[in-house]
Amino acid sequence: MNLNKKMAAWVLAFASMGMGASIGAQESVKVEQSVTLTVDQAVSYALKNSRTLKSADIDLEMKERAAKYGWNVLLPTVQVSGTMSRATEYSPSNAMLSKIIPGYPTDYEDEEAHWSTVGNVSIGWNFSLAMLKQIKASKVAYEGGKISLEQSTNEQVLSVKKLFYALLLQQESLKIQQATLENSRQRMVQAQTNFRNGIIPELKYLQTQVDYENKKPDVDTAEQNLNNQLDTFVFLIGMPVGTRLSLEGEINPHYIEADADKLIERYGSNSLEIKALQNNVDSLKENMSAIDLSTWTPALSINYAWQPAYIGEDGAFHFFKDLGKDDKWYDAGALSFTLAWNLTNALPWSSNQQKAKDIKQNLLKLEISLDMLKENQKVAVRKAVDTLNQARAQIEAMERNVSLAQRAYDMTYRAYRNGTTELLDLRDSEQSLNQAKLGLVNQKYNYMTALLDLENTLNADLTSERE
């Protein structure tokens, strides 16, 4: 895969992570800024401006609040109300009251006789053992939210670092091309001088000039591609559009002694994917326990109601005059204790039992997925370790190859200047040197990205074990 394809792949992957730029900040920029970033600074800037992470933070805040106040299902329900009602017909009960209470309205045509005033204060408290499982389930959901946020953060960090190092790789390739172009220019200038002095024929001078002119478009194109990728990177990490970005860093991997079995044994349980799946298992188990408790244990309900009603002779509109007189008010409230057990839920074919069976089946599926994930982790770790070892061996071989190619080029260049070899031989030697240099930096990049993938898989910092 060439550099442009690698960059395009990483740009698409990075953009899909939702690394949005701050539109308001971009629109306010009128003058280009020049900024130099290290990889850590780029990561920090991207995380600060990530819309995906901001959304994940909101989700986590909601789950945290649900876990913090999950006990509110145990709060009693308190309700206060007051009612004034008008009967269309004069109630017979009012006629009876007129006989009992002196001064009570006896005129059926009296408007106040149609009205009654009733207050109500009720307190209800419900409790079942399943509520305790609901409280615990909210805490499990909160832990799952924290794992999810950490996963999103790690994915963002991984994407930024890979794209940053891919830009450095493209930058190194451009430097090699620019150095080659400069060598061609110097050969052209030297050939022009030699031609004017009559040392070489015009044909050799023209060959050097054609060689230089042929290289210029390629270098200009590579430089433009790099600038375009830097502009895209600026946008993706959330910096203002138009910022001129310079990258500070180098492709210089920190080597580790990687053993797949030891890494899995030490860090295998750190995997966020495994933790997230285990959290789902725990959540389903809590839901299963809540269903069992609601099925096989009764629920307790305690209710108290105080319902004062005014029956004074002043009528419904003047109840406030007799608030302190007990003989004008009466209480129709009550205190009740209820123990309820839904026996239907215990039937094997009930919806409650069918839901429990579905949860059990989903638990089995999750446990299978968990086993598969652990096995896939072992495969991924072994593959990454093999890539690291292979890349390191190739790096050592390519370092020797670069030294040999450099010696060959220096010798060919001296021979060319002495007139004992042709320009074509010099260009072949220079091309071999450039390929060796680019191959070396490309293998170093492969080692670094493989190490980043391994650290992400194990959720561990392995560079602390560097040599």
Side-chain angles (χ1 to χ4, degrees):
M1 180 184 291
N2 58 37
L3 291 179
N4 289 335
K5 288 183 178 180
K6 282 185 177 181
M7 288 301 302
W10 278 116
V11 166
L12 289 175
F14 192 60
S16 67
M17 298 299 296
M19 302 296 291
S22 176
I23 304 300
Q26 294 170 6
E27 293 178 348
S28 63
V29 175
K30 297 181 180 180
V31 182
E32 289 186 349
Q33 306 176 46
S34 180
V35 178
T36 300
L37 289 181
T38 63
V39 62
D40 292 333
Q41 290 172 335
V43 167
S44 176
Y45 203 99
L47 293 180
K48 186 186 300 183
N49 291 275
S50 169
R51 293 176 179 173
T52 299
L53 292 184
K54 289 178 180 178
S55 178
D57 282 335
I58 295 174
D59 292 337
L60 181 61
E61 183 181 350
M62 290 189 294
K63 291 180 179 180
E64 181 183 13
R65 190 171 63 252
K68 185 177 180 180
Y69 299 106
W71 54 268
N72 58 16
V73 295
L74 301 176
L75 289 175
T77 301
V78 180
Q79 183 173 339
V80 178
S81 65
T83 303
M84 292 190 68
S85 61
R86 182 186 185 281
T88 304
E89 298 294 336
Y90 189 67
S91 173
S93 61
N94 288 348
M96 294 178 63
L97 291 174
S98 65
K99 297 177 180 179
I100 300 172
I101 302 174
Y104 197 84
T106 57
D107 186 2
Y108 290 1
E109 300 300 324
D110 184 3
E111 179 62 23
E112 281 199 55
H114 291 264
W115 288 84
S116 63
T117 303
V118 180
N120 184 73
V121 177
S122 62
I123 301 176
W125 185 68
N126 300 318
F127 175 77
S128 68
L129 293 177
M131 291 181 176
L132 301 180
K133 290 299 180 179
Q134 293 176 9
I135 296 174
K136 190 172 181 181
S138 64
K139 296 183 182 297
V140 172
Y142 173 53
E143 294 300 321
K146 291 195 291 185
I147 295 173
S148 178
L149 178 61
E150 189 176 357
Q151 279 183 296
S152 298
T153 302
N154 287 355
E155 288 171 357
Q156 302 282 18
V157 171
L158 179 65
S159 297
V160 173
K161 286 185 176 181
K162 282 190 172 182
L163 189 53
F164 185 92
Y165 289 125
L167 286 169
L168 286 182
L169 178 61
Q170 191 173 4
Q171 196 169 269
E172 288 298 320
S173 175
L174 177 60
K175 288 180 181 178
I176 292 174
Q177 290 179 278
Q178 289 174 335
T180 302
L181 180 63
E182 177 60 20
N183 290 339
S184 298
R185 189 192 67 81
Q186 291 179 2
R187 287 195 295 268
M188 182 188 68
V189 172
Q190 181 64 39
Q192 184 182 34
T193 301
N194 292 340
F195 169 68
R196 288 177 179 175
N197 294 332
I199 300 176
I200 61 173
E202 184 178 9
L203 177 60
K204 287 193 174 182
Y205 164 60
L206 292 177
Q207 287 176 338
T208 59
Q209 188 175 14
V210 170
D211 181 58
Y212 171 69
E213 295 296 336
N214 284 339
K215 286 183 172 64
K216 285 178 63 177
D218 293 337
V219 174
D220 291 340
T221 300
E223 186 174 1
Q224 182 62 39
N225 288 338
L226 177 60
N227 290 333
N228 290 339
Q229 298 295 348
L230 287 172
D231 288 340
T232 302
F233 185 69
V234 162
F235 170 76
L236 291 175
I237 65 175
M239 299 186 74
V241 173
T243 301
R244 291 177 296 176
L245 182 63
S246 298
L247 305 181
E248 181 180 331
E250 57 182 357
I251 301 179
N252 187 24
H254 298 293
Y255 301 109
I256 65 170
E257 290 295 338
D259 182 274
D261 294 330
K262 291 181 179 179
L263 289 173
I264 293 172
E265 180 181 0
R266 183 174 181 181
Y267 300 108
S269 60
N270 287 1
S271 171
L272 292 178
E273 287 187 81
I274 293 178
K275 287 183 178 181
L277 200 55
Q278 185 61 56
N279 179 265
N280 290 338
V281 171
D282 295 340
S283 179
L284 281 183
K285 286 182 177 179
E286 295 300 329
N287 290 333
M288 187 66 214
S289 298
I291 290 179
D292 287 341
L293 288 173
S294 65
T295 301
W296 304 111
T297 60
L300 173 64
S301 177
I302 302 176
N303 293 280
Y304 172 74
W306 175 51
Q307 194 174 50
Y310 179 72
I311 56 175
E313 65 275 5
D314 291 330
F317 294 123
H318 302 88
F319 66 89
F320 53 87
K321 293 181 178 180
D322 300 319
L323 288 177
K325 298 180 180 180
D326 294 339
D327 58 342
K328 305 298 183 180
W329 292 85
Y330 75 96
D331 179 16
L335 173 64
S336 65
F337 297 87
T338 304
L339 199 61
W341 190 355
N342 189 336
L343 298 179
T344 302
N345 287 337
L347 297 176
W349 50 83
S350 67
S351 60
N352 192 62
Q353 288 301 303
Q354 294 304 311
K355 183 178 179 181
K357 291 179 180 179
D358 289 342
I359 292 179
K360 289 179 180 178
Q361 295 296 317
N362 286 326
L363 273 173
L364 290 176
K365 290 171 59 179
L366 283 179
E367 289 173 355
I368 294 173
S369 298
L370 189 58
D371 290 337
M372 291 178 58
L373 186 58
K374 290 179 180 179
E375 293 302 315
N376 289 337
Q377 182 195 55
K378 295 178 182 178
V379 173
V381 171
R382 293 183 183 279
K383 181 179 179 181
V385 169
D386 290 341
T387 301
L388 290 176
N389 294 334
Q390 182 182 11
R392 185 171 182 178
Q394 291 185 1
I395 288 171
E396 293 173 353
M398 287 182 174
E399 286 176 342
R400 295 191 295 269
N401 189 36
V402 169
S403 298
L404 293 175
Q406 185 66 55
R407 288 181 58 192
Y409 172 76
D410 293 340
M411 294 174 64
T412 305
Y413 181 68
R414 286 195 296 268
Y416 173 76
R417 293 193 63 178
N418 294 332
T420 58
T421 190
E422 298 295 329
L423 177 61
L424 181 60
D425 296 329
L426 179 61
R427 286 189 298 191
D428 290 341
S429 179
E430 186 176 44
Q431 185 177 3
S432 297
L433 176 60
N434 291 340
Q435 289 177 345
K437 289 180 177 179
L438 190 57
L440 175 61
V441 71
N442 192 64
Q443 282 302 321
K444 288 183 176 181
Y445 169 78
N446 290 339
Y447 187 95
M448 295 178 71
T449 54
L451 182 58
L452 288 173
D453 286 333
L454 181 59
E455 289 181 329
N456 186 64
T457 299
L458 297 174
N459 190 31
D461 180 13
L462 301 179
T463 55
S464 59
E465 300 181 3
R466 68 185 65 172
E467 295 179 339

